[in-house]
Amino acid sequence: MHSALVLTSLPVSRARLLQGAGALCGLPFACELYARAPPRWSSDELPKAFEAVTADVKELVVLLPGAGGPDANTRRIVAALGGRGVQVVEYDYRRFAGDTLRAPFNSQRVGETLGEELARVQSAGGLPRLEVLHLIGVSVGAFAADRCAGVYAARVPASGRART
């Protein structure tokens, strides 16, 4: 009770109050600018995801782990889905994810590059038998999976596109 009285009785100038409010409002804005800043890598540096996929694949799973990369959970998913005529690509892009603030935006950039790569491969006839495409994003990998699906759908005509 006494501390509240002391705090409210402190003389605070209007300028000081506005400075404090500005700092509080400016911090989220600065964090957002940092998070959305262009990455320090180019899309040309990303590993190619579909080079090892065989041309006769009918069902393809692209697994995009979180920013920490593959772990026991992703290994369990790969083991459960692999075989049975399904090819699984586990795409490890952790060195491109960045820190916690940048990972969602960098993951979207990775997904865009993957979508373009997949569309280019399929449009060039590289995956003529592909019927079903599964994109699985774990944690922040979901941002990459979502962007990959959107870019792929926009670049490949529906008649030539695998079911996603």
Side-chain angles (χ1 to χ4, degrees):
M1 180 165 102
H2 293 291
S3 62
L5 291 174
V6 171
L7 289 176
T8 57
S9 65
L10 288 176
V12 177
S13 71
R14 189 176 271 168
R16 185 82 141 180
L17 189 60
L18 289 174
Q19 277 181 332
L24 283 175
C25 294
L27 184 60
F29 183 70
C31 288
E32 188 73 16
L33 285 176
Y34 169 77
R36 291 178 183 265
R40 294 183 183 102
W41 46 265
S42 84
S43 59
D44 296 335
E45 296 175 59
L46 291 169
K48 300 298 179 210
F50 305 106
E51 289 178 344
V53 176
T54 59
D56 64 343
V57 64
K58 290 184 178 183
E59 189 170 358
L60 177 63
V61 174
V62 180
L63 178 62
L64 298 148
D71 58 14
N73 185 41
T74 56
R75 283 189 292 278
R76 196 169 44 251
I77 293 169
V78 169
L81 295 175
R84 305 178 314 151
V86 177
Q87 276 194 279
V88 180
V89 172
E90 184 179 29
Y91 192 75
D92 182 4
Y93 67 97
R94 72 182 124 182
R95 83 179 184 95
F96 300 95
D99 59 36
T100 304
L101 288 175
R102 300 191 82 182
F105 298 102
N106 286 344
S107 293
Q108 290 175 1
R109 293 174 178 116
V110 167
E112 185 166 344
T113 301
L114 285 177
E116 290 170 354
E117 180 187 350
L118 181 59
R120 202 170 29 256
V121 168
Q122 193 163 11
S123 296
L127 300 171
R129 297 176 185 252
L130 184 63
E131 296 173 5
V132 181
L133 171 65
H134 303 278
L135 298 166
I136 302 173
V138 177
S139 189
V140 80
F143 288 98
D146 180 62
R147 182 61 64 92
C148 180
V151 169
Y152 173 71
R155 303 266 195 294
V156 179
S159 60
R161 188 168 56 224
R163 290 190 332 260
T164 53

